[in-house]
Amino acid sequence: MSGKISGFIVRLMTIAIGMLLICAPVWAEGGEPAYPYHGVQFDKFVDQSFAYSGPSEPKRFYDWMDRAYRETRSRIPGNKSLLLGDFLASRRALLTATKDPAKKSATEIEVSANVHKLIKAMIPRFSLDRGFEFRNVVKYGERQCFLQSVLIAGMLQRMGMNAGVAMVYRNITGQPTNNGHAITLLKLPDGKSIIVDASEPEPFARHQGLFVRTRGYQYVDPVYVKKSDMISFYRASGRIEKINTDRVHGLDLAFLDSQFWFYRGERAKGGLILLPRTKEGLEASAAALRTSVKLCPANPLSVYTLGRVYQAQGKSAGAAKMFTKAYALYARFGWVPDGAKECFASVQH
């Protein structure tokens, strides 16, 4: 059995090294990381997912999406595009031709609402345990918050919009969540922003706290226009400091790659979440989370969760190191979740 585990870890690290080589910073106009749908970087997200659990066949994902689009395209009133690529191209042409910022913002809001409707219809099932893999979109017709947010952001980018992905640390009701949900953050031409969330029945959500990129990673609180879903500006978490929308960006490519690996570690069969725990499952969790941390050492959730896996494995020194590092990262970014506080306190002497 140990030989199988060693082979699995070697495979994980081989993929991780490849991802390190492809994750050099690439930025779209406006400071957002560039990964337009069916672009080079988006292809790499898809390829990585297929390569992780079997033969690399990313073309299957795009073929599946085209079929799903044909079956659901009538959900968009007046939509005459027969192919998903044509739909994206036609909306890009419309947005390019619209020069007035107010009109362009209104059009982007309408188009993003249409994409929200399409994604929910095209990929109808939601799965926390499997929906983060592009392979499982094809295999099960499943999605999860992070994958759907990357997918929506990629489609909006393909249409020329200034979109990215952010994590949620306070949800719609203000309840804290340890980067436990992902959304698409769309920056509009009129200077406002809006959250697109395919986990909600309506396209736009008013989450109360986001993990984003400013000069570095930061926890921020959106301030909404009165009686509107539009974000007027942000405040640093727990502070009155005002942050303009042009300073707030979606998370970078290193973080996005890292977060896919986080879910692979968190949801490994027999690992931290999917019980019953097994020695092999915990080692699979640890291997994937080590990859996640290597890809983005500043991903606080991955560092914290790796500590929890080490704790479950009885590796107290490794757990203490990760809990201490995670606490420092959360504090640096402006907010420390209760779980991280408790784990950090438990390893202090």
Side-chain angles (χ1 to χ4, degrees), residues 43-63:
D43 289 351
K44 289 172 181 174
F45 288 148
V46 177
D47 183 67
Q48 175 189 355
S49 178
F50 276 79
Y52 174 70
S53 54
S56 181
E57 303 172 279
K59 185 176 182 298
R60 288 178 56 202
F61 170 75
Y62 293 111
D63 289 344

Side-chain angles (χ1 to χ4, degrees), residues 104 115 130 138 146 214 233 240 250 268 289 297 315 349:
K104 191 169 186 177
V115 171
R130 300 184 301 202
V138 176
F146 184 67
T214 54
F233 60 93
I240 62 172
L289 286 164
K315 298 179 179 179
H349 301 290

Side-chain angles (χ1 to χ4, degrees), residues 61-349:
F61 170 75
Y62 293 111
D63 289 344
W64 189 95
M65 288 287 289
D66 287 336
R67 287 195 298 273
Y69 169 78
R70 286 194 294 271
E71 294 170 0
T72 58
R73 63 188 179 89
S74 61
R75 303 289 182 95
I76 308 303
N79 180 23
K80 298 180 180 179
S81 301
L82 298 177
L83 300 173
L84 179 56
D86 292 342
F87 170 77
L88 301 180
S90 68
R91 296 314 188 264
R92 183 183 183 94
L94 174 63
L95 291 168
T96 300
T98 305
K99 304 302 180 183
D100 179 72
K103 291 182 178 179
K104 191 169 186 177
S105 294
T107 303
E108 288 194 3
I109 290 170
E110 180 183 359
V111 171
S112 59
N114 289 339
V115 171
H116 174 275
K117 183 181 294 185
L118 271 178
I119 291 302
K120 291 177 75 70
M122 291 167 64
I123 315 173
R125 290 182 285 278
F126 192 91
S127 171
L128 290 173
D129 294 335
R130 300 184 301 202
F132 54 86
E133 295 286 12
F134 289 98
R135 174 182 286 275
N136 290 335
V137 172
V138 176
K139 192 172 183 179
Y140 301 109
E142 292 177 346
R143 58 184 163 82
Q144 164 257 33
C145 65
F146 184 67
L147 180 144
Q148 73 192 12
S149 297
V150 172
L151 177 55
I152 291 171
M155 292 173 72
L156 298 185
Q157 285 192 16
R158 175 57 68 186
M159 292 183 279
M161 298 191 213
N162 201 351
V165 171
M167 305 302 293
V168 173
Y169 88 96
R170 291 195 187 279
N171 65 17
I172 294 170
T173 63
Q175 293 298 308
T177 168
N178 185 359
N179 288 11
H181 184 55
I183 54 87
T184 299
L185 185 63
L186 174 61
K187 297 168 71 173
L188 298 165
D190 65 2
K192 299 182 181 64
S193 295
I194 195 165
I195 291 171
V196 185
D197 188 349
S199 294
E200 296 295 324
E202 299 300 320
F204 307 119
R206 291 170 56 99
H207 291 290
Q208 300 304 302
L210 302 177
F211 183 68
V212 298
R213 185 172 49 85
T214 54
R215 286 174 294 183
Y217 299 133
Q218 187 174 4
Y219 286 101
V220 299
D221 301 333
V223 177
Y224 293 90
V225 176
K226 189 175 182 179
K227 296 182 179 179
S228 169
D229 296 321
M230 301 295 107
I231 298 170
S232 178
F233 60 93
Y234 299 84
R235 295 195 187 278
S237 176
R239 296 162 60 185
I240 62 172
E241 174 193 350
K242 181 177 177 180
I243 305 173
N244 291 333
T245 57
D246 62 352
R247 291 174 52 200
V248 173
H249 305 289
L251 297 161
D252 59 301
L253 296 177
F255 184 94
L256 299 182
D257 284 323
S258 170
Q259 195 66 12
F260 278 116
W261 284 95
F262 163 77
Y263 290 115
R264 291 175 186 129
E266 182 193 49
R267 300 287 164 169
K269 185 176 181 181
L272 187 65
I273 298 296
L274 298 185
L275 304 177
R277 291 175 178 172
T278 64
K279 180 180 178 180
E280 294 79 13
L282 285 171
E283 185 50 41
S285 281
L289 286 164
R290 282 192 291 267
T291 299
S292 178
V293 171
K294 187 170 184 178
L295 288 166
C296 185
N299 184 340
L301 181 57
S302 293
V303 175
Y304 165 67
T305 307
L306 180 56
R308 291 181 59 202
V309 173
Y310 283 158
Q311 188 178 58
Q313 291 178 309
K315 298 179 179 179
S316 56
K321 181 180 179 180
M322 292 299 107
F323 290 151
T324 301
K325 181 180 178 182
Y327 184 92
L329 287 171
Y330 283 117
R332 190 171 96 203
F333 303 146
W335 177 76
V336 184
D338 288 342
K341 290 178 183 177
E342 293 167 4
C343 287
F344 175 69
S346 73
V347 299
Q348 300 308 296
H349 301 290

